[in-house]
């Protein structure tokens, strides 16, 4: 059989290794000048036009972002259930209650009308996820937030460079988090970047990530150690130079799939949206798990199911969602399969993926 095609593959090259070596040789490895430079460059690169604060994971970014924004006990934050558990977890970690709301089926993002129906006197904010690298219906959510005087936050963990109506994701919310986990569109090893809408939030984030200190040993608040190291920042700075090429490759791979896949539902892209294809996610309405197994066992094509269990049904988060019933979320969890779309695929890989998907879809039809 052909070599296995993995569903994701981080690209770490000679330049990243050299950057790490440079930091290691300097002897200054903790948060310092590399992190500061990375924050500036990240904001400029993605046209965020706001301060960026680096932390040691995307999850820490969401958690500290919510705390900096003043979210706490007694507050409700509206989140999707069809996402990675870190989204809802961060709300719980901030002491607030996640309210799980359904997605709409095209973008896999929060359904604005369902969001509006879920607002209560305790609702503090809305935290949409730009899932798979496609922007959520963020302009509609922004209008709802304004109308009801709620905050808007963004989980942009998967959406570096995505935009809607020429506005980059990460510029809509009070804060927005981008993850740098190895399988995301770019990596620093581990890490998170939080874009914030004002200097007060930036300062609150910097205090929270560093034991409440801006000046050494003058601790102002009780904080965490959520600092990024200069080693990680050095990797991220190199990856910033490559991310645009990688995104274009993802988009080219996706266009080839769009044109050539048969027998599966390919992912729609909304008008005025730029999709950065963290995942290329199709729907397989019948026997998705059999489809995944056949791709792997008969064709050596890896794929992923993101996410098989809606968060409101996870043992960890279910206690926050006793009466929840989310039809589109359940359907997506049953039907989705993400195919390899990452920039390390060769042309032959792409063709093999198409051949495999079409053969398995045909056999199952
Ligand atoms: C990866 C991810 C996170 C968490 O980011 P980490 O850097 O892994 O902590 C949060 N939300 C979503 C949607 C993600 O995909």
């Amino acid at each position: 059989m052909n070599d296995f095609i993995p569903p994701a593959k981080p690209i770490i090259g000679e330049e990243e290794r050299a950057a790490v070596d440079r930091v290691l040789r300097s002897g200054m490895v903790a948060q310092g000048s590399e992190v500061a430079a990375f924050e500036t460059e990240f904001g400029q690169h993605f046209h965020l036009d706001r301060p960026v604060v680096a932390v040691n994971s995307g999850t820490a970014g969401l958690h500290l972002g919510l705390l900096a924004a003043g979210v706490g006990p007694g507050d409700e934050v509206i989140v999707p259930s069809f996402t990675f558990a870190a989204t809802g977890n961060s709300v719980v970690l901030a002491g607030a209650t996640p309210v799980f709301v359904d997605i709409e089926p095209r973008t896999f993002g929060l359904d604005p009308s369902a969001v509006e129906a879920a607002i209560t006197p305790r609702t503090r904010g809305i935290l949409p996820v730009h899932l798979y690298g496609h922007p959520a219906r963020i302009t509609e959510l922004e209008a709802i937030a304004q109308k009801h005087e709620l905050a808007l936050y963004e989980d942009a963990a998967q959406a570096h460079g995505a935009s809607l109506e020429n506005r980059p994701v990460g510029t809509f919310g009070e804060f927005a988090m981008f993850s740098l986990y190895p399988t995301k569109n770019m990596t620093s090893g581990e890490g998170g970047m939080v874009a914030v809408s004002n200097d007060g939030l930036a300062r609150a984030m910097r205090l929270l990530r560093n034991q409440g200190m801006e000046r050494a040993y003058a601790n102002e608040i009780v904080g965490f150690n959520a600092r990024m190291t200069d080693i990680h920042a050095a990797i991220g700075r190199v990856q910033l130079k490559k991310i645009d090429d990688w995104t274009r490759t993802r988009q080219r791979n996706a266009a080839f799939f769009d044109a050539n896949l048969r027998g599966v539902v390919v992912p729609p892209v909304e008008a005025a949206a730029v999709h950065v294809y963290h995942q290329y996610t199709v729907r397989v309405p019948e026997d998705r798990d059999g489809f995944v197994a056949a791709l792997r066992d008969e064709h050596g094509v890896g794929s992923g199911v993101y996410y098989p269990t809606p968060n409101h049904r996870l043992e960890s988060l279910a206690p926050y969602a006793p009466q929840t019933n989310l039809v589109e979320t359940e359907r997506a969890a049953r039907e989705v399969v993400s195919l390899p779309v990452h920039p390390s695929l060769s042309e032959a890989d792409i063709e093999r993926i198409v051949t495999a998907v079409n053969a398995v879809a045909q056999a199952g039809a």
Side-chain angles (χ1 to χ4, degrees), residues 76-209:
E76 293 176 353
V77 177
I78 294 174
V79 293
S81 172
F82 191 61
T83 173
F84 185 50
T87 314
N89 283 352
S90 65
V91 175
V92 173
L93 290 170
T97 304
V99 174
F100 294 102
V101 162
D102 214 354
I103 54 169
E104 54 82 30
R106 285 178 59 84
T107 63
F108 298 98
L110 278 176
D111 177 345
S113 57
V115 166
E116 197 154 26
I119 293 170
T120 75
R122 289 160 54 135
T123 307
R124 171 88 183 218
I126 308 168
L127 173 53
V129 178
H130 304 296
L131 200 71
Y132 305 143
H134 190 294
R137 289 209 186 160
I138 192 76
T139 47
E140 291 161 74
L141 295 169
E142 184 180 49
I144 290 169
Q146 272 164 11
K147 177 174 154 199
H148 295 272
E149 298 185 348
L150 303 175
L152 183 66
Y153 320 117
E154 297 175 74
D155 182 337
Q158 306 183 353
H160 315 67
S163 64
L164 189 64
E165 294 167 16
N166 291 317
R167 287 174 67 190
V169 305
T171 60
F172 294 85
E174 232 173 76
F175 74 85
M177 177 281 283
F178 298 85
S179 169
L180 299 170
Y181 184 74
T183 58
K184 301 291 158 77
N185 288 28
M186 60 176 282
T187 187
S188 59
E190 290 262 16
M193 302 302 269
V194 183
V196 294
S197 55
N198 62 66
D199 292 336
L201 274 177
R203 180 171 143 78
M205 286 291 302
R206 290 190 196 108
L207 288 174
L208 284 165
R209 84 171 162 188

Side-chain angles (χ1 to χ4, degrees), residues 240-260:
L240 263 188
K241 296 183 194 154
K242 305 179 176 178
I243 179 72
D244 288 355
D245 274 347
W246 290 338
T247 299
R248 277 191 289 274
T249 304
R250 287 175 182 275
Q251 290 165 334
R252 212 167 42 238
N253 293 345
F256 189 81
F257 290 153
D258 285 347
N260 292 288

Side-chain angles (χ1 to χ4, degrees), residues 325-343:
N325 178 26
L326 307 174
V327 175
E328 289 298 340
T329 294
E330 298 284 353
R331 189 159 75 91
R334 265 196 322 272
E335 294 184 348
V336 293
V337 180
S338 297
L339 303 173
V341 71
H342 50 84

